[in-house]
């Protein structure tokens, strides 16, 4: 990840001859900049990075100096040298991804921890805050592992592991941990809090009056003009603009909108496997952006840069600069999620009414009444930043400070609903459009799904495009085609199984022997939201699907779900699993469905395998370890 900068002409030749070496030593960097606290983050969706930035900023309030750091950019073998810096501390904000995995940017660090048994970290002071979700099997596995492993390598834990649960209230967990953490650190190092409650700006505003518009970012993720001149390889920093070739509604009736999109990847050199995810970079609704500009009374087309006040920081800007406020609020900033408490805390100073100021600061505290107020007024009411400004007429912050504080708009991941064996040049997406009414009577719309819904094939004669890249997954068909597969995917959880079914059909056409292919699908009403009904029934007719089991939950008096169908077929399922080496796949809602399905498999193992509950639980756990029970779930 080299950085791009421009040099005066005469120095350019020399610079091109000498390869630029990026500073991979965080120790040298800390010494050079007088920092004593480093906050590493393992982040997939940006939250852990956000928490790391907040902690590094906090350090200033306690007379210390902190920096946030991406472990992928530094040599983590240097952790043992941290003792060379007086009063030093490493904080690790570690998110867990998927089935207990490290995030992409923490994979190398995880490997390093696993491989280096003889490492002596006795000079390292550390603490860990973990980010996870209780509905997942491996809750906070990465944070727990880092915490335990550093201790095994003789590092000195100076504050307890914090566990953040995104199924509950991650922000509240973080605040509670942080409010106990800093006093403990002050005591450990014998420093006093400065009692400075004022807001600390990280970036300063620069307005560009006469700038060449070719140098201004208009929504590109990484390289300037990357959307005009596309160059492979395509990844999260350099997405491919894929034309939309199909966009149709899947459900026949009902008030929800379920859609099927097809993206054309011809000529992109992009490869994918059934079970992978496609990541798309959405943009915010222009009506929302315009309203923000209007309420703050600003011209959104002013060209600006927000420049880091710390010259030595790797992060020169919070988002690609120079750009306009309009581009930042449309492409780069998350303006639809309820803002976190640190945003309210920092914006409080701009509320003219002391009562509003007090309430905003209270919501950012860990007091029980503050937490309750944040929960009810912000989270339960789903108030985004615009709703907060509308409901607090005395709060009018400068737009540049607001842009500094808003988190980055993140890519959204969808399970690919096609097989590259059948569709090498096209990627299929199946999704439900998110739209709901909040307690305040506002209509809230999911950013990505509403943006995708409006991606018409041709927009004024131009092709609609979607910036995208592929994220590899562990969700894979068995290596041996003869192994039976049991697929459970109600609702849009059907997506990866459309790819699996296409692939099994293709293998059959090649004359390969293919094991039993069993599908469990569930929806509300047969004549409303039976997704891909024609394709599934066709696959059953051709013998590609050896069994198609469908639960329509609301078509009869009692609710019927996929787990009820599983229970009805317990003899057959047990034979496939226990004697025929079947692989089980579950895709969809983690909070209820995946849990209930797992419980059902425990019950089947008890009944059919004559086990007690603990043995049945172990039996299913073993299947997971062997890669025969895979989940692709979200909450």
């Amino acid at each position: 990840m080299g950085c791009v900068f421009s040099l005066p002409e005469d120095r350019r030749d020399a610079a091109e001859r000498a390869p630029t070496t990026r500073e991979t030593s965080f120790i040298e960097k800390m010494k050079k900049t007088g920092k004593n606290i480093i906050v590493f983050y393992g982040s997939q969706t940006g939250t852990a990075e956000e928490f790391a930035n907040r902690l590094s900023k906090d350090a200033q309030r306690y007379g210390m100096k902190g920096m946030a750091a991406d472990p992928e950019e530094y040599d983590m073998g240097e952790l043992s040298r941290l003792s060379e810096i007086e009063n030093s501390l490493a904080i690790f904000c570690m998110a867990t991804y998927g089935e207990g995995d490290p995030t992409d940017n923490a994979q190398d660090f995880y490997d390093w921890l696993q491989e280096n048994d003889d490492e002596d970290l006795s000079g390292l002071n550390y603490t860990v805050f973990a980010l996870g979700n209780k509905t997942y099997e491996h809750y906070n596995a990465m944070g727990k592992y880092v915490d335990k492993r550093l201790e095994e390598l003789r590092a000195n834990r100076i504050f307890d592991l914090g566990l953040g649960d995104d199924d509950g209230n991650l922000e509240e967990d973080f605040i509670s941990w942080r409010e106990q953490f800093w006093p403990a650190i002050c005591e450990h190092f014998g420093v006093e809090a400065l009692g400075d409650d004022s807001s600390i700006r990280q970036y300063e505003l620069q307005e560009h009056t006469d700038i060449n518009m070719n140098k201004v970012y208009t929504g590109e993720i990484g390289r300037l003009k990357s959307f005009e001149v596309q160059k492979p390889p395509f990844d999260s920093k350099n997405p491919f603009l894929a034309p939309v070739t199909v966009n149709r509604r899947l459900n026949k009736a009902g008030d929800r909108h379920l859609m099927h999109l097809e993206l054309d990847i011809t000529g992109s050199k992009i490869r994918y496997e059934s079970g992978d995810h496609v990541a798309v970079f959405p943009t915010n609704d222009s009506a929302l952006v315009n309203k923000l500009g209007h309420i703050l009374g600003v011209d959104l087309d002013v060209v600006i840069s927000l420049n880091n006040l710390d010259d030595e920081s790797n992060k020169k800007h919070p988002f690609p600069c120079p750009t306009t406020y309009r581009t930042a609020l449309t492409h780069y900033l998350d303006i639809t999620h309820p803002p976190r408490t640190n945003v309210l805390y920092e914006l409080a100073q701009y509320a003219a009414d002391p009562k509003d100021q007090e309430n905003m600061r209270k919501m950012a505290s860990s007091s029980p009444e503050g937490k309750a107020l944040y929960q009810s007024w912000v989270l339960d009411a789903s108030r985004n930043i615009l709703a907060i400004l509308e409901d607090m007429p005395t709060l009018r912050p400068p737009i540049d400070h607001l842009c500094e504080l808003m988190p980055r708009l993140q890519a959204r991941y969808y399970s690919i609903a096609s097989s590259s064996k059948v569709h090498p040049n096209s990627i299929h997406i199946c999704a439900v459009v998110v739209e709901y009414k909040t307690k305040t009577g506002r209509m809230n719309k999911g950013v990505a799904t509403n943006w995708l819904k409006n991606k018409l094939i041709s927009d004024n004669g131009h092709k609609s495009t979607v910036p995208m890249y592929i994220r590899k997954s562990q969700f894979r068909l068995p290596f041996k085609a003869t192994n039976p597969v049991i697929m459970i995917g109600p609702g849009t959880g059907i997506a990866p199984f459309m790819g699996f079914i296409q692939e099994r059909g293709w293998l059959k056409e090649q004359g390969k022997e293919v094991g039993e292919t069993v599908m469990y699908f569930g929806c509300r009403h047969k004549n409303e939201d039976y997704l891909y009904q024609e394709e599934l029934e066709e696959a059953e007719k051709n013998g590609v699907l050896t069994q198609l089991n469908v639960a329509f939950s609301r078509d009869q008096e009692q609710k019927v779900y996929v787990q009820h169908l599983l229970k009805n077929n317990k003899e057959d399922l047990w034979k496939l699993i226990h004697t025929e080496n079947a692989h089980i796949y579950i895709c969809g809602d983690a909070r209820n469905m995946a849990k209930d399905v797992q419980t059902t498999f425990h019950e089947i193992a008890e009944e059919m395998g004559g086990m007690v509950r603990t043995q049945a639980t172990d039996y299913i756990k073993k299947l997971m370890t062997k890669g025969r029970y895979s989940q692709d779930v979200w909450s």
Side-chain angles (χ1 to χ4, degrees):
M1 303 292 175
C3 62
V4 181
F5 53 91
S6 73
L7 290 170
E9 290 303 323
D10 52 344
R11 284 178 52 208
R12 201 168 283 167
D13 300 342
E16 275 164 15
R17 282 198 304 273
T20 54
T21 50
R22 200 171 37 100
E23 181 77 86
T24 59
S25 165
F26 62 85
I27 297 293
E28 296 314 317
K29 183 151 200 178
M30 288 172 79
K31 286 179 174 174
K32 200 161 79 188
T33 56
K35 307 274 199 297
N36 63 329
I37 292 181
I38 184 159
V39 195
F40 291 105
Y41 56 84
S43 193
Q44 198 69 35
T45 60
T47 312
E49 182 179 356
E50 210 183 304
F51 285 3
N53 281 321
R54 284 162 70 176
L55 289 167
S56 76
K57 216 165 147 182
D58 276 346
Q60 258 177 281
R61 297 201 164 102
Y62 296 94
M64 295 178 262
K65 282 187 84 177
M67 65 180 266
D70 181 344
E72 203 171 32
E73 293 184 1
Y74 292 104
D75 172 10
M76 298 305 281
E78 288 203 329
L79 283 171
S80 57
R81 290 183 54 203
L82 204 59
S83 54
E84 294 172 18
I85 295 169
E86 204 184 338
N87 281 358
S88 61
L89 165 69
I91 307 173
F92 297 86
C93 285
M94 297 315 239
T96 298
Y97 187 78
E99 298 298 291
D101 306 314
T103 56
D104 293 351
N105 77 315
Q107 184 67 54
D108 293 347
F109 174 45
Y110 175 74
D111 295 343
W112 180 83
L113 283 172
Q114 280 193 306
E115 290 154 14
N116 288 287
D117 279 335
D118 47 359
E119 196 69 39
D120 179 11
L121 298 181
S122 50
L124 172 70
N125 293 322
Y126 79 95
T127 187
V128 179
F129 183 81
L131 297 84
N133 186 313
K134 266 214 175 73
T135 55
Y136 289 71
E137 181 74 20
H138 306 276
Y139 174 53
N140 269 325
M142 181 61 182
K144 288 171 180 170
Y145 174 75
V146 170
D147 184 59
K148 176 175 122 304
R149 186 66 178 139
L150 290 173
E151 183 179 50
E152 285 168 5
L153 298 175
R154 295 188 288 288
N156 175 26
R157 181 192 297 109
I158 63 172
F159 191 70
D160 296 339
L161 167 70
L163 295 175
D165 175 21
D166 203 23
D167 187 45
N169 183 341
L170 186 60
E171 177 70 12
E172 188 174 298
D173 296 337
F174 177 65
I175 290 180
S176 303
W177 179 83
R178 177 174 159 248
E179 292 230 340
Q180 295 170 300
F181 164 74
W182 282 115
I185 296 309
C186 290
E187 196 172 328
H188 181 90
F189 290 129
V191 294
E192 297 246 334
L194 303 178
D196 176 15
D197 267 354
S198 67
S199 157
I200 300 163
R201 288 294 298 261
Q202 206 175 338
Y203 299 93
E204 65 179 347
L205 172 67
Q206 178 186 5
E207 289 192 2
H208 303 278
T209 43
D210 70 343
I211 187 168
N212 177 347
M213 289 313 274
N214 282 327
K215 295 216 161 57
V216 177
Y217 282 88
T218 55
E220 304 92 333
I221 307 302
R223 183 172 51 84
L224 196 61
K225 300 285 173 233
S226 62
F227 286 169
E228 287 171 32
V229 184
Q230 293 247 283
K231 289 185 193 141
F234 296 105
D235 57 22
S236 60
K237 303 273 194 303
N238 178 37
F240 175 66
L241 287 180
V244 177
T245 53
V246 174
N247 182 352
R248 63 185 168 92
R249 184 172 175 150
L250 277 173
N251 49 325
K252 300 176 187 69
D255 49 6
R256 296 185 305 158
H257 184 104
L258 292 110
M259 57 188 170
H260 171 89
L261 272 93
E262 298 185 10
L263 307 179
D264 184 359
I265 54 168
T266 308
S268 65
K269 295 194 168 72
I270 288 173
R271 302 262 177 280
Y272 74 95
E273 297 283 330
S274 305
D276 282 343
H277 294 129
V278 57
V280 303
F281 288 94
T283 59
N284 288 312
D285 182 353
S286 57
L288 209 57
V289 173
N290 287 333
K291 278 184 182 165
L292 268 173
H294 178 72
I295 205 163
L296 293 173
V298 290
D299 173 0
L300 293 175
D301 298 305
V302 173
V303 179
I304 57 131
S305 289
L306 286 178
N307 302 322
N308 203 318
L309 291 161
D310 175 359
D311 294 339
E312 298 293 339
S313 174
N314 278 13
K315 205 171 172 187
K316 300 292 176 225
H317 316 282
F319 42 78
C321 289
T323 189
T324 62
Y325 287 125
R326 185 181 305 283
T327 300
L329 294 168
T330 306
H331 293 271
Y332 300 137
L333 298 171
D334 181 349
I335 57 174
T336 56
H337 272 112
R340 297 197 189 279
T341 53
N342 64 307
V343 176
L344 302 179
Y345 182 85
E346 300 231 2
L347 293 181
Q349 59 181 317
Y350 302 115
D353 181 346
K355 192 84 193 98
D356 286 346
Q357 272 200 31
E358 187 194 337
N359 277 334
M360 289 175 78
R361 291 216 169 98
K362 191 188 288 169
M363 285 191 269
S365 76
S366 63
S367 74
E369 96 188 273
K371 283 178 177 176
L373 184 61
Y374 177 69
Q375 183 67 46
S376 65
W377 199 76
V378 178
L379 297 182
D380 296 346
S382 306
R383 274 187 173 88
N384 58 29
I385 189 66
L386 178 65
I388 287 172
L389 292 170
E390 286 175 342
D391 294 345
M392 271 194 183
T394 83
L395 176 65
R396 292 296 176 261
I399 190 165
D400 62 295
H401 199 176
L402 187 73
C403 288
E404 171 177 324
L405 293 169
M406 292 277 99
R408 280 293 292 268
L409 184 59
Q410 299 294 334
R412 305 297 201 266
Y413 300 100
Y414 296 97
S415 306
I416 297 177
S418 51
S419 160
S420 58
K421 302 281 192 292
V422 182
H423 299 282
N425 289 320
S426 134
I427 283 173
H428 300 182
I429 293 175
C430 162
V432 58
V433 175
V434 178
E435 247 185 309
Y436 58 96
K437 201 167 198 159
T438 72
K439 288 181 175 168
T440 64
R442 295 176 167 95
M443 273 310 284
N444 271 13
K445 296 179 172 191
V447 177
T449 54
N450 280 279
W451 168 76
L452 284 170
K453 177 187 168 186
N454 293 317
K455 288 279 171 189
L456 308 173
I457 313 308
S458 167
D459 193 9
N460 295 334
H462 295 293
K463 282 197 165 116
S464 283
T465 56
V466 166
M468 52 72 69
Y469 69 97
I470 298 296
R471 188 170 193 285
K472 292 277 164 231
S473 149
Q474 302 300 313
F475 204 69
R476 287 278 181 270
L477 276 169
F479 183 64
K480 278 164 61 183
T482 49
N483 282 23
V485 299
I486 300 160
M487 305 172 288
I488 301 149
T492 54
I494 184 96
F497 303 131
M498 295 311 293
F500 281 13
I501 293 164
Q502 287 170 15
E503 192 139 327
R504 300 280 270 197
W506 179 83
L507 287 165
K508 259 187 135 79
E509 277 172 18
Q510 304 292 305
K512 297 260 193 326
E513 192 192 332
V514 177
E516 281 208 48
T517 306
V518 179
M519 179 78 223
Y520 284 83
F521 173 71
C523 61
R524 296 175 185 182
H525 301 282
K526 181 172 185 174
N527 53 10
E528 270 190 20
D529 52 355
Y530 187 168
L531 309 183
Y532 300 111
Q533 180 177 356
E534 293 75 17
E535 291 93 325
L536 291 170
E537 288 172 355
E538 179 75 6
E540 188 183 28
K541 204 174 79 192
N542 299 340
V544 174
L545 269 183
T546 42
Q547 269 187 53
L548 173 59
N549 307 281
V550 189
F552 305 109
S553 63
R554 303 183 185 182
D555 276 351
Q556 60 287 308
E557 200 79 343
Q558 282 82 31
K559 294 254 173 97
V560 178
Y561 294 119
V562 282
Q563 61 269 25
H564 300 130
L565 301 188
L566 292 168
K567 206 70 191 279
N568 296 346
N569 298 343
K570 57 188 177 194
E571 287 88 357
D572 182 51
L573 283 166
W574 184 246
K575 187 167 136 294
L576 287 174
I577 296 163
H578 198 61
T579 57
E580 297 181 25
N581 229 0
H583 285 232
I584 301 165
Y585 301 90
I586 294 145
C587 181
D589 158 55
R591 190 173 284 131
N592 303 307
M593 183 275 299
K595 268 206 180 99
D596 294 341
V597 164
Q598 196 168 324
T599 305
T600 305
F601 278 117
H602 290 157
E603 289 166 4
I604 291 173
E606 280 177 60
E607 288 177 46
M608 304 307 302
M611 305 179 186
V612 297
R613 178 49 64 105
T614 50
Q615 290 171 310
T617 310
D618 282 349
Y619 183 86
I620 300 297
K621 273 231 160 74
K622 277 213 177 68
L623 290 182
M624 289 177 176
T625 323
K626 287 184 184 148
R628 279 182 52 205
Y629 189 112
S630 310
Q631 303 191 82
D632 177 0
V633 292
W634 53 84
S635 71

